[in-house]
Amino acid sequence: MLAQAAYVPLCAGAAAVSPAAAAAAGRAPGSGAAGGAAAAMAMALSLGEGGGSRLRRQLESGGFAAEEYVKQLSQQSDGDRDLQEHRQRIQALSEETAQSLKRNVYQNYRQFIETAREISYLESEMYQLSHILTEQKGIMEAVTQALLLQADRDDPALGARRAAAADPFLPLSAKEAAASEEGRQRTLTTLLEKVEGCRDLLPESPGKYLVYNGDLVEYDADHMAQIQRVHAFLMNDCLLVATALPNRRGAYRYDALYPLDGLAVVNVKDNPPMKDMFKLLMFPESRIFQAENAKIKKEWLEVLEETKRNRALSEKRRLEQEALPRPAPTPPESTNPFEEDDEEEEPSAEEEVVDLSLEWIQELPEDLDVCIAQRDFEGAVDLLDKLNEYLGDKPMNQPVKELRAKVDERVRQLTDVLVFELSPDRSLRGGPRATRRAVSQLIRLGQSTKACELFLKNRAAAVQTAIRQLRIEGATLLYIHKLCHVFFTSLLETAREFETDFAGNNGCYSAFVVWARSSMRMFVDAFSKQVFDSKESLSTAAECVKVAKEHCKQLSEIGLDLTFIIHALLVKDIKGALQSYKDIIIEATKHRNSEEMWRKMNLMTPEALGKLREEMRSCGVGNFDQYTGDDCWVNLSYTVVAFTKQTMAFLEEALKLYFPELHMVLLESLVEIILVAVQHVDYSLRCEQDPEKKAFIRQNASFLYETVLPVVEKRFEEGVGKPAKQLQDLRNASRLMRVNPESTTSVV
């Protein structure tokens, strides 16, 4: 029975070791269960303690059977202890093998990452190189065509012979050419009738015709997963992509339209099963399509490049024709016989011609695309400034309008890229200086308002992220120190960077002040949640508010004072804290009053008496020695002494929190606290019948009115800067009791 019970664990342990052991023994892991188990046991016993060479040779033999070995082992064992030892040994070797494999993987993990990164860089460089070679090929072909056209203009006969040799099917008459053009347009109209939603996007133009069309399959550029089947229509000036309708054969729905001027074609290397693919680049997006076979893919690549080249040449010819000076129209002969012959004719006003045939103007749209693709934002804006300077005093004729339309499209693309650079979705590391590049270029493009808005949104997200990443420590004051340092340092850096970037835009400073107020509200929310919502003591809250005020004063270095904002945002929480602590003091005083026995204090030791003297001196009571007696006695009640210390501590902490909006709250709280003690002393003096205790109560009342209340009044005036009439009235009202102590009138 023990052998049968141990059979399954031993087989399971051998199976756990078998893949690593098979690899270590030089055998294929999938070479059979017996071979895998034999390799596992061989490795286990060779690495484990007590493994002998004879047994190892037995396990490495080709005819080794794991089941027979386990049965034999169970029969020869003395008991379950041997089986358990074999099982533990196999399990230990299995875990050791797994740990070894993990260590090897971890050691090579960094190399894997670096290799993948290098492959990514290489792929990017190869893509750029392919794009540059394609552009160079197009430029060389365009130069060749331009030279041939120039030669044709110099020698028309030679041009006619070359054209006839190159195209034996050249139309022989204008009538045939018109018929061919009409046929191509009719074909385009017929095909586009099958596409829903493209009529309004493709206005009828006499020069537009269909060049090529066919079915393609679109793939995801990141995961290379099939997305949809599409049908592409290539016209002489644009590319239309339509998706197939599922329930209507031969019908399509409009998907996208791309002008050939901003379209780049890139060949995608075959990587089975992904083959016969090519990529279309339309900044800022790209799409990958798969042709039916390699022949159709080659046709698409060739016809796209050829159509783009023809489009560029036709556009260049049109600009050259429009740039040529037009002869002035001859005025009609006058039939007026009475018109004097010597009358000077008025010169006809000729429209000024703008020379757009300059090489840098012709290449400006493409150069802008390259600058945007290479993230050369400064170069793109420099080109735009150069164009604006050149066209500054030129008339706005039709060629200039068309050029402006092309350039404006690139300006929108450049603006979108710069806006994305400033979006909070991007990395917020680097501080405010990381946004300077995008902000400065947006300002140069005349987008100061947008640049200001995006810059402040970016910094708001950065500040909020920095606050969220702060760890909430056990000590509240330590967390507040970190919070204030992070927030006010970020605010100061943002203000300095804003002043640098928007130095010439005074209208943006109001937006910064509004942003600073909203950021301060976010800071106060985090501050109050940690300080006031967690019911910290008044001393801790006072220290935290003091730290926040000190950091806020740092902003005065750049002329920004937000102290009034932090006061306005904290006034509600501070009022609540003062009133809450006032209620605690009143409850504690009432509780002590209820247990008052009107006895002198015996501090027992001189050290305790000295400590009390120091505490009272720190509270501002300088004449406390006159209330001390022989040995360690104090001629005051414990209730009055405790009330004095608690009231003065409350006043000191409240003055740290003080600002003008809290004046009445603090004053009313002090009056309420003092009234509790005053009324108790007055009541006890009127009700006590024992002459000795009555004299002791009168001594405590004298200390309270003549020592404590003046100290409170003086300290309040020092902290606030002006006297408190309510405290003066309260102290003057005590004269009634001193003049007529037998009166039953209460001091209120």
Side-chain angles (χ1 to χ4, degrees):
M1 295 300 291
L2 291 173
Q4 293 177 358
Y7 177 79
V8 175
L10 283 173
C11 290
V17 183
S18 61
R27 300 173 182 231
S31 60
M41 296 299 294
M43 181 177 180
L45 293 179
S46 63
L47 296 177
E49 298 179 359
S53 59
R54 182 180 59 81
L55 186 57
R56 184 163 52 249
R57 286 195 301 271
Q58 177 185 356
L59 295 176
E60 291 178 352
S61 62
F64 174 77
E67 296 181 357
E68 295 297 331
Y69 172 76
V70 173
K71 289 180 180 179
Q72 183 181 359
L73 183 65
S74 62
Q75 292 174 1
Q76 294 177 357
S77 62
D78 295 337
D80 62 336
R81 180 176 298 177
D82 293 342
L83 295 177
Q84 292 293 337
E85 290 178 356
H86 279 81
R87 178 187 176 190
Q88 292 175 1
R89 187 179 305 166
I90 292 174
Q91 289 179 346
L93 291 175
S94 174
E95 295 175 357
E96 182 179 351
T97 305
Q99 291 296 330
S100 177
L101 288 175
K102 287 183 179 180
R103 284 194 296 269
N104 292 333
V105 171
Y106 292 155
Q107 288 174 0
N108 297 325
Y109 186 64
R110 184 177 298 276
Q111 297 180 2
F112 293 158
I113 294 177
E114 293 177 356
T115 304
R117 187 180 294 115
E118 292 296 332
I119 291 173
S120 177
Y121 291 158
L122 182 60
E123 181 183 4
S124 176
E125 292 176 357
M126 292 299 295
Y127 163 73
Q128 294 180 2
L129 182 60
S130 173
H131 186 68
I132 291 172
L133 291 176
T134 304
E135 293 292 334
Q136 292 294 332
K137 177 183 176 183
I139 292 173
M140 295 300 295
E141 292 178 354
V143 170
T144 303
Q145 292 291 336
L147 293 175
L148 292 176
L149 290 174
Q150 184 65 32
D152 293 344
R153 284 197 291 269
D154 296 340
D155 190 354
L158 179 62
R161 288 195 302 271
R162 185 184 295 110
D167 189 2
F169 303 101
L170 191 67
L172 300 178
S173 64
K175 182 177 180 180
E176 293 177 0
S180 176
E181 181 73 19
E182 182 180 355
R184 288 190 294 184
Q185 289 188 357
R186 189 181 303 112
T187 303
L188 173 64
T189 304
T190 303
L191 288 176
L192 293 183
E193 286 178 352
K194 301 179 181 180
V195 182
E196 296 181 358
C198 71
R199 278 294 179 184
D200 298 334
L201 299 172
L202 289 173
E204 295 185 2
S205 175
K208 188 185 295 291
Y209 58 87
L210 183 68
V211 178
Y212 194 80
N213 72 95
D215 291 326
L216 298 171
V217 179
E218 183 177 5
Y219 280 78
D220 183 73
D222 296 328
H223 308 290
M224 299 305 293
Q226 182 175 337
I227 299 178
Q228 60 185 348
R229 301 188 65 86
V230 300
H231 194 90
F233 298 89
L234 176 62
M235 286 157 274
N236 60 323
D237 60 348
C238 62
L239 176 67
L240 174 66
V241 179
T243 58
L245 292 175
N247 299 326
R248 297 172 56 187
R249 184 177 180 84
Y252 307 97
R253 179 182 291 110
Y254 168 80
D255 182 70
L257 181 67
Y258 304 109
L260 293 183
D261 297 338
L263 187 69
V265 186
V266 179
N267 182 23
V268 178
K269 185 178 179 181
D270 290 347
N271 185 17
M274 302 301 172
K275 59 180 182 178
D276 304 329
M277 292 184 173
F278 60 93
K279 182 183 290 188
L280 297 182
L281 303 177
M282 306 76 59
F283 185 85
E285 61 175 323
S286 62
R287 301 176 71 172
I288 294 181
F289 298 99
Q290 183 184 45
E292 186 176 352
N293 51 49
K295 179 182 178 181
I296 296 179
K297 170 190 173 181
K298 183 179 179 182
E299 290 178 359
W300 269 109
L301 294 176
E302 291 177 352
V303 75
L304 279 168
E305 291 295 336
E306 184 68 23
T307 307
K308 286 186 60 182
R309 190 161 49 250
N310 294 337
R311 171 69 177 172
L313 289 174
S314 62
E315 188 70 16
K316 184 175 181 180
R317 289 197 208 100
R318 185 181 63 81
L319 292 175
E320 289 178 352
Q321 292 294 331
E322 293 178 351
L324 294 176
R326 300 178 182 178
T330 57
E333 295 183 359
S334 176
T335 57
N336 186 1
F338 300 100
E339 186 176 3
E340 297 181 359
D341 295 337
D342 57 350
E343 183 179 359
E344 296 181 359
E345 297 181 356
E346 295 181 1
S348 60
E350 294 184 3
E351 183 180 1
E352 183 180 355
V353 178
V354 181
D355 185 12
L356 300 180
S357 61
L358 300 177
E359 182 179 359
W360 69 272
I361 294 181
Q362 294 294 322
E363 298 177 355
L364 182 64
E366 289 76 13
D367 291 343
L368 289 175
D369 290 337
V370 172
C371 290
I372 295 173
Q374 296 179 349
R375 300 174 60 82
D376 183 12
F377 306 137
E378 293 82 0
V381 179
D382 290 341
L383 289 175
L384 293 172
D385 290 343
K386 183 179 179 181
L387 178 65
N388 293 331
E389 183 179 358
Y390 178 77
L391 298 178
D393 55 350
K394 302 294 190 299
M396 186 63 69
N397 52 21
Q398 187 62 28
V400 175
K401 291 181 180 179
E402 294 178 359
L403 178 62
R404 283 287 189 187
K406 294 181 181 179
V407 172
D408 289 343
E409 178 64 27
R410 271 70 177 184
V411 171
R412 282 192 293 271
Q413 295 176 2
L414 177 59
T415 303
D416 293 341
V417 175
L418 294 174
V419 168
F420 179 70
E421 287 293 315
L422 292 173
S423 63
D425 298 333
R426 297 280 289 172
S427 176
L428 299 175
R429 298 180 180 178
R433 291 187 180 180
T435 62
R436 181 180 298 178
R437 187 184 179 205
V439 169
S440 60
Q441 302 313 314
L442 277 176
I443 293 175
R444 291 179 62 189
L445 290 174
Q447 302 282 346
S448 300
T449 304
K450 182 177 291 186
C452 176
E453 178 184 358
L454 293 172
F455 172 77
L456 295 178
K457 283 184 178 180
N458 181 280
R459 295 311 305 153
V463 172
Q464 188 174 10
T465 302
I467 291 177
R468 286 179 177 176
Q469 290 177 350
L470 277 178
R471 294 181 58 186
I472 299 179
E473 304 288 349
T476 302
L477 188 57
L478 178 60
Y479 172 79
I480 294 301
H481 272 287
K482 293 182 178 180
L483 176 65
C484 292
H485 175 73
V486 169
F487 174 75
F488 286 103
T489 301
S490 300
L491 197 63
L492 189 62
E493 292 177 353
T494 301
R496 288 172 176 167
E497 185 64 24
F498 187 89
E499 192 173 9
T500 302
D501 294 344
F502 300 92
N505 298 274
N506 297 329
C508 296
Y509 281 86
S510 58
F512 176 78
V513 174
V514 173
W515 174 83
R517 181 182 179 86
S518 63
S519 300
M520 186 66 74
R521 184 177 293 109
M522 178 178 61
F523 163 77
V524 169
D525 289 341
F527 181 92
S528 299
K529 187 179 296 184
Q530 190 66 20
V531 175
F532 296 108
D533 294 352
S534 58
K535 303 299 181 183
E536 293 289 341
S537 65
L538 190 64
S539 60
T540 302
E543 288 296 328
C544 293
V545 173
K546 181 181 178 182
V547 170
K549 288 181 179 179
E550 290 175 352
H551 279 82
C552 191
K553 290 179 181 178
Q554 296 177 0
L555 299 178
S556 60
E557 299 176 6
I558 58 172
L560 184 64
D561 186 7
L562 299 179
T563 308
F564 68 98
I565 294 180
I566 198 171
H567 284 173
L569 295 175
L570 285 175
V571 63
K572 182 178 178 181
D573 291 324
I574 296 178
K575 280 183 179 179
L578 290 175
Q579 292 174 352
S580 176
Y581 201 68
K582 174 204 68 175
D583 294 338
I584 292 174
I585 294 177
I586 290 175
E587 288 296 324
T589 304
K590 288 181 178 180
H591 179 71
R592 288 192 297 267
N593 291 342
S594 65
E595 299 177 352
E596 179 61 73
M597 302 297 294
W598 293 112
R599 295 175 180 175
K600 297 181 181 181
M601 293 178 62
N602 185 5
L603 299 179
M604 307 299 292
T605 62
E607 290 79 7
L609 181 60
K611 183 179 178 181
L612 181 60
R613 284 196 183 100
E614 290 297 326
E615 291 177 351
M616 299 306 290
R617 190 176 293 111
S618 64
C619 291
V621 180
N623 59 344
F624 185 72
D625 290 338
Q626 70 182 20
Y627 295 99
T628 58
D630 299 334
D631 295 334
C632 300
W633 289 90
V634 177
N635 298 324
L636 292 173
S637 170
Y638 167 76
T639 301
V640 174
V641 173
F643 170 79
T644 302
K645 293 193 294 184
Q646 202 167 18
T647 302
M648 293 306 300
F650 171 77
L651 179 58
E652 291 296 332
E653 301 301 337
L655 290 177
K656 294 179 183 178
L657 297 169
Y658 179 81
F659 45 88
E661 289 83 353
L662 297 172
H663 182 82
M664 291 306 300
V665 177
L666 176 57
L667 190 57
E668 291 172 358
S669 299
L670 280 174
V671 171
E672 289 185 32
I673 292 172
I674 294 172
L675 276 177
V676 174
V678 167
Q679 290 174 352
H680 172 66
V681 171
D682 181 32
Y683 176 78
S684 300
L685 191 60
R686 288 186 288 106
C687 296
E688 185 60 51
Q689 302 297 326
D690 187 356
E692 185 177 351
K693 282 190 177 182
K694 203 164 191 177
F696 181 69
I697 295 173
R698 190 175 292 109
Q699 186 176 6
N700 281 272
S702 175
F703 172 77
L704 188 63
Y705 285 106
E706 297 177 2
T707 302
V708 177
L709 291 184
V711 169
V712 171
E713 185 179 346
K714 179 182 178 182
R715 185 68 188 93
F716 184 88
E717 185 175 353
E718 291 175 353
V720 174
K722 57 182 178 179
K725 186 175 182 300
Q726 290 86 339
L727 294 177
Q728 293 176 356
D729 295 341
L730 184 61
R731 184 162 57 89
N732 294 332
S734 64
R735 293 179 181 176
L736 177 62
M737 187 185 68
R738 294 200 299 271
V739 172
N740 186 14
E742 302 299 332
S743 172
T744 58
T745 305
S746 299
V747 179
V748 182

